[in-house]
Amino acid sequence: YEVDETRDILTSTGMPLQLEHRIRVVGRRPNEMWLRIQGDAADREFWLHQGKATLYDKYNKVFATRAVPGSIGQAVSVLTGTYDVDLPTAQLLSQDLERILLLDVVELYYIGIGQVSGEMCHHILAREEETDWQIWIHARGKQLPCKAVITYKRKQGLPSITSRFKRWDLAPSASSELF
């Protein structure tokens, strides 16, 4: 799938700044994934292949590899939680996505049917300790995310990330060399 991502942040001078990124993700469960982020403040690739994670970040001039636990979900949790690696939307490839999404939720609301880029979508709002998030899920056909918004409540200026999903392919024909 692909994601058009917008990040709204507050600079150190208090001015709002908006950054745009295009993200492309290919995954093969249980333990292979490729992710590429390109945009205003990022140009990096990430590979996960059978217990080994590799990150190449051109923007920050970083190349790193690390042994990680088995599945995509486990690996992404370790990398984002322990090493603070930014892997936008990668958890969507987790086999236990429902559990991960609802793990820290303290309030959950169904807003109703709304439109995202002309598509009818279920709109859901959730509250967690550190974040509030919204997700819009296709109401017809495959129930896949159309859009998501995460707002970080404990960070100065309430930064947010808006992700618009497109080009879902549930059976990608990626070659093994990609991973």
Side-chain angles (χ1 to χ4, degrees):
Y1 62 90
E2 287 186 13
V3 179
D4 287 330
E5 178 188 84
T6 303
R7 292 183 179 218
D8 292 300
I9 61 174
L10 203 59
T11 66
S12 59
T13 62
M15 295 177 66
L17 176 65
Q18 190 172 80
L19 302 171
E20 296 279 331
H21 299 103
R22 166 80 39 95
I23 303 164
R24 185 161 176 239
V25 181
V26 177
R28 207 167 15 207
R29 290 178 177 158
N31 60 3
E32 293 181 316
M33 180 178 71
W34 171 79
L35 183 143
R36 174 118 198 216
I37 305 168
Q38 291 180 297
D40 293 333
D43 188 359
R44 68 181 175 267
E45 285 186 86
F46 171 83
W47 297 266
L48 176 64
H49 180 71
Q50 298 178 357
K52 180 181 176 186
T54 304
L55 174 71
Y56 175 53
D57 186 335
K58 293 179 189 176
Y59 188 81
N60 292 303
K61 297 179 172 62
V62 172
F63 179 84
T65 61
R66 176 79 55 193
V68 292
S71 73
I72 292 171
Q74 292 168 323
V76 170
S77 291
V78 167
L79 292 166
T80 57
T82 305
Y83 301 106
D84 201 28
V85 176
D86 185 19
L87 298 172
T89 75
Q91 284 289 20
L92 291 177
L93 295 176
S94 297
Q95 289 177 307
D96 55 350
L97 180 60
E98 182 179 344
R99 184 191 64 76
I100 290 169
L101 282 177
L102 299 177
L103 185 65
D104 297 320
V105 170
V106 293
E107 294 179 56
L108 187 66
Y109 302 96
Y110 179 71
I111 304 302
I113 297 287
Q115 282 195 24
V116 175
S117 301
E119 297 286 332
M120 301 305 287
C121 300
H122 297 284
H123 184 184
I124 299 165
L125 174 64
R127 169 159 286 158
E128 297 180 0
E129 183 88 16
E130 307 262 330
T131 61
D132 287 338
W133 54 267
Q134 302 174 66
I135 191 164
W136 289 259
I137 299 171
H138 283 278
R140 298 184 185 115
K142 297 274 186 197
Q143 294 186 334
L144 298 167
C146 303
K147 178 180 169 181
V149 177
I150 302 171
T151 303
Y152 297 90
K153 300 186 298 189
R154 301 203 184 251
K155 293 186 178 181
Q156 182 180 354
L158 298 174
S160 67
I161 298 173
T162 301
S163 301
R164 291 182 175 271
F165 299 89
K166 58 186 181 179
R167 293 189 182 90
W168 282 98
D169 183 354
L170 300 180
S173 59
S175 72
S176 295
E177 287 126 24
L178 180 62
F179 308 107

